[in-house]
Amino acid sequence: MENKDYDLICVGAGIMTATLALITKILQPEMRILILERLDKVAQESSAAWNNAGTGHSALCELNYCPQKNDQVDISKAIDICTQFEMSKQFWRNLVAQNLIKEPNSFINPVPHNSWVYGADNVDYLERRFHAMKEHFMFDSIEFTRSIEKMKEWFPLIMEDRDESDHMAGSRINRGAEMNFGSLTEQLFHILKKEYNVTVSFNEEVQDVDPDKDIEWDVITKNKISGDTRTLSAHHVFIGAGGGSLLLLQKVEIDEKEGYGGFPVSGAWLVCKNQEIINQHYGKVYSKAGPNDPPMSTPHLDTRFINGKRELLFGPFAGFSPKFLKEGSYLDLFKSIKSDNIKPMLETFWDNLPLTQYLVNQVTMSFDDRMDDLRKFYKNAKNEDWEYLVAGQRVQIIKIDEFEGGQLQFGTEVIASKDGSITCLLGASPGASTAVKIMLDVIEKAFPELIENPEILNKLQEMIPFYKTEVTKELFEKELKKSKELLEL
């Protein structure tokens, strides 16, 4: 048994931990940080490029961020998501400005963000969304069209063999971003190691986190290769292990964990193998989910840049696996069922039968069925030009709701003890795109003394100008221009 004292121990080596550790070290370089990862490399689960959509989620094309209420389209969530992604860009550009990241196009590339719908009701909705967004300075560059010819310019593959009798419309914002979060995560960890001597301890499975009377927490780990067990002490613990976070949180002795459950959903893509077809499409084109389908089912045809190669993906297709991680156990879901969460989990199941039916339909789809879905986007798609790729696992949050008993929540949530000494991130999208804002929330809970220090707060606002600041039109345009220049967008 080994005892070592740290200010912060992070569980999981993905984009969230990398962001938290780096911001914290920039603000307080003397802080002692240790990162524990159960696999042998960083960014192998949700942060890996093939395991997520790679969209810089900024609400430019994702229609689920703009719900329609009667005849009005509410863009308040879109404004919030857009602001958070711009905060992420501000942090990344700061690293580029300091020459800590030398090639921004290794992780971020300019790709137009488009929305495309068919059917009279959806067309009317998209036009209402356009007018609502056009009035706000964050989205005033948005374009809208019902013209077949204009849509052929924007996304020619989708418009092949379509005519004026089809009810279709599209919108477009050119400043969209395509992300390789795997590459970004690797570079953030490289900075942590080179500049701050923070290393990742690999093949370390965290068995438990127990309270300690002298410090705050004892973190018990087991090495997956040697089998050795050790105990590490920490004033603060951050659990950022993706789908694996819930199982570890349930072992922690804090009241705030009570009632949380998880619903695992796997993802998959159709990936184009024909370079000629790949070269004919440049953009991310999001459509609308079906009337009874969950937000995560929103279909999209995307240009991607992965490992230096341009790719074309369609999806996502959902599936069900009881695993909470791609490299997890088939017993994960069953292990997560506890006396305090079984009621909200059961009630959530009964209240979300359409989701269950959706997943059953998705799981039973054949390759031809998936190609038929693609052909709703790209009429002339041929089976031989595409292959099926299993992506990552997501665990959606189930929590107690005082009115409904149980609630399925799409998004992310930070769970924290009363004193902030232990924090845990649960949930999924928009996740990685808003990592900087989410990790600033963690810092506020775990290290309020940093935010309360005027010098540190000033440093933070210089690095991320939108932090704790009213975002005006003038400020937005000024900082957007800086990010475009430094990130080569």
Side-chain angles (χ1 to χ4, degrees):
M1 301 292 287
E2 179 184 4
N3 284 281
K4 289 187 177 179
D5 185 2
Y6 293 93
D7 294 304
L8 172 64
I9 288 180
C10 300
V11 183
I15 184 67
M16 294 298 177
T17 285
T19 302
L20 173 63
L22 187 50
I23 292 178
T24 305
K25 288 295 283 186
I26 289 171
L27 299 180
Q28 194 163 339
E30 65 273 17
M31 190 166 292
R32 297 158 297 175
I33 298 176
L34 175 67
I35 298 162
L36 302 170
E37 169 56 46
R38 65 190 294 272
L39 301 178
D40 59 358
K41 294 179 182 178
V42 303
Q44 295 302 294
E45 284 281 350
S46 297
S47 301
W50 289 108
N51 288 348
N52 59 68
T55 300
H57 284 297
S58 43
L60 307 184
C61 60
E62 307 95 314
L63 302 180
N64 55 300
Y65 294 137
C66 297
Q68 181 170 288
K69 299 176 181 177
N70 298 320
D71 289 334
Q72 300 296 316
V73 175
D74 181 3
I75 68 166
S76 57
K77 187 171 183 179
I79 294 168
D80 188 39
I81 296 295
C82 181
T83 302
Q84 292 184 43
F85 184 61
E86 291 303 320
M87 291 174 69
S88 292
K89 286 164 62 180
Q90 289 164 8
F91 177 61
W92 302 332
R93 84 184 188 203
N94 183 268
L95 301 176
V96 172
Q98 296 181 64
N99 207 32
L100 295 174
I101 293 179
K102 295 179 171 55
E103 296 181 8
N105 292 147
S106 62
F107 73 90
I108 188 169
N109 285 275
V111 172
H113 281 200
N114 308 271
S115 303
W116 173 72
V117 297
Y118 50 88
D121 290 344
N122 288 335
V123 168
D124 290 344
Y125 158 76
L126 191 65
E127 187 165 14
R128 281 192 287 270
R129 174 182 177 270
F130 160 73
H131 288 298
M133 297 186 82
K134 186 74 175 175
E135 293 179 1
H136 195 278
F137 58 81
M138 289 186 183
F139 311 107
D140 58 10
S141 63
I142 190 172
E143 301 175 70
F144 172 84
T145 188
R146 296 173 184 249
S147 164
I148 297 289
E149 294 305 313
K150 175 57 75 173
M151 284 185 276
K152 282 182 179 178
E153 292 178 21
W154 291 350
F155 26 83
L157 278 185
I158 292 174
M159 301 312 294
E160 281 184 5
D161 293 340
R162 303 198 186 261
D163 56 50
E164 298 291 344
S165 65
D166 295 326
H167 289 285
M168 294 179 296
S171 65
R172 181 181 182 94
I173 296 181
N174 279 312
R175 74 164 194 267
E178 143 66 14
M179 297 294 307
N180 185 329
F181 287 110
S183 175
L184 174 61
T185 303
E186 290 170 358
Q187 294 182 68
L188 297 183
F189 278 115
H190 177 74
I191 296 169
L192 279 165
K193 182 178 180 180
K194 183 180 178 183
E195 302 295 327
Y196 298 102
N197 198 32
V198 175
T199 58
V200 181
S201 185
F202 293 108
N203 299 302
E204 293 278 3
E205 185 91 61
V206 177
Q207 305 287 296
D208 203 354
V209 180
D210 289 332
D212 184 290
K213 63 180 181 180
D214 296 322
I215 194 170
E216 293 290 347
W217 301 100
D218 283 338
V219 179
I220 297 94
T221 74
K222 182 177 181 180
N223 189 282
K224 292 173 64 180
I225 297 175
S226 67
D228 293 341
T229 300
R230 59 176 178 160
T231 298
L232 305 162
S233 298
H235 293 277
H236 297 85
V237 175
F238 169 67
I239 303 173
S245 294
L246 176 62
L247 291 173
L248 185 54
L249 175 66
Q250 290 177 330
K251 297 179 179 181
V252 182
E253 297 175 26
I254 57 172
D255 294 337
E256 290 77 9
K257 70 177 182 181
E258 298 298 319
Y260 280 91
F263 189 90
V265 179
S266 59
W269 306 103
L270 286 176
V271 181
C272 187
K273 302 185 291 181
N274 187 327
Q275 193 63 46
E276 184 178 342
I277 294 172
I278 293 170
N279 292 339
Q280 292 179 56
H281 181 88
Y282 196 80
K284 291 182 177 289
V285 184
Y286 275 58
S287 192
K288 226 180 172 195
N292 295 316
D293 296 343
M296 61 186 161
S297 68
T298 301
H300 43 99
L301 184 66
D302 291 356
T303 296
R304 300 291 312 272
F305 290 95
I306 299 175
N307 300 326
K309 186 173 180 288
R310 182 167 158 181
E311 305 279 2
L312 182 61
L313 277 67
F314 175 76
F317 296 97
F320 177 78
S321 166
K323 290 183 177 183
F324 278 8
L325 292 165
K326 196 172 182 178
E327 300 292 332
S329 165
Y330 286 105
L331 298 176
D332 287 344
L333 175 59
F334 307 104
K335 289 178 180 177
S336 74
I337 300 173
K338 309 292 183 184
S339 59
D340 63 279
N341 68 13
I342 188 167
K343 185 174 184 290
M345 289 183 74
L346 287 173
E347 293 196 12
T348 298
F349 172 78
W350 288 114
D351 291 343
N352 289 273
L353 288 177
L355 173 60
T356 304
Q357 182 61 47
Y358 166 79
L359 290 175
V360 170
N361 292 338
Q362 290 276 297
V363 169
T364 57
M365 288 177 80
S366 66
F367 182 75
D368 285 337
D369 292 333
R370 294 185 174 97
M371 287 300 299
D372 286 341
D373 273 4
L374 170 58
R375 290 186 188 102
K376 294 174 185 175
F377 260 67
Y378 171 29
K379 278 188 172 184
N380 298 326
K382 298 177 181 177
N383 285 23
E384 60 266 28
D385 291 329
W386 298 79
E387 61 184 340
Y388 181 71
L389 175 74
V390 176
Q393 283 286 110
R394 299 290 185 272
V395 178
Q396 307 296 340
I397 303 168
I398 293 174
K399 58 191 295 188
I400 291 177
D401 183 280
E402 59 180 322
F403 301 108
E404 300 176 20
Q407 181 184 43
L408 183 65
Q409 179 173 308
F410 297 98
T412 52
E413 184 168 340
V414 175
I415 315 300
S417 59
K418 287 185 178 65
D419 61 359
S421 62
I422 189 158
T423 49
C424 175
L425 182 68
L426 299 179
S429 183
S433 295
T434 58
V436 169
K437 171 60 169 63
I438 295 170
M439 292 303 99
L440 287 172
D441 291 344
V442 169
I443 290 173
E444 289 176 10
K445 296 175 186 297
F447 305 106
E449 68 278 5
L450 294 182
I451 308 301
E452 292 164 3
N453 184 318
E455 290 184 11
I456 292 178
L457 178 59
N458 183 60
K459 184 177 182 179
L460 194 51
Q461 290 178 321
E462 286 179 2
M463 186 167 57
I464 306 166
F466 284 4
Y467 181 61
K468 291 190 176 299
T469 304
E470 180 185 357
V471 182
T472 63
K473 183 177 190 294
E474 181 181 17
L475 178 63
F476 182 81
E477 292 176 349
K478 173 187 171 184
E479 298 304 330
L480 187 67
K481 183 180 179 181
K482 280 186 184 178
S483 295
K484 180 178 179 180
E485 292 172 353
L486 284 166
L487 296 175
E488 301 175 13
L489 295 173

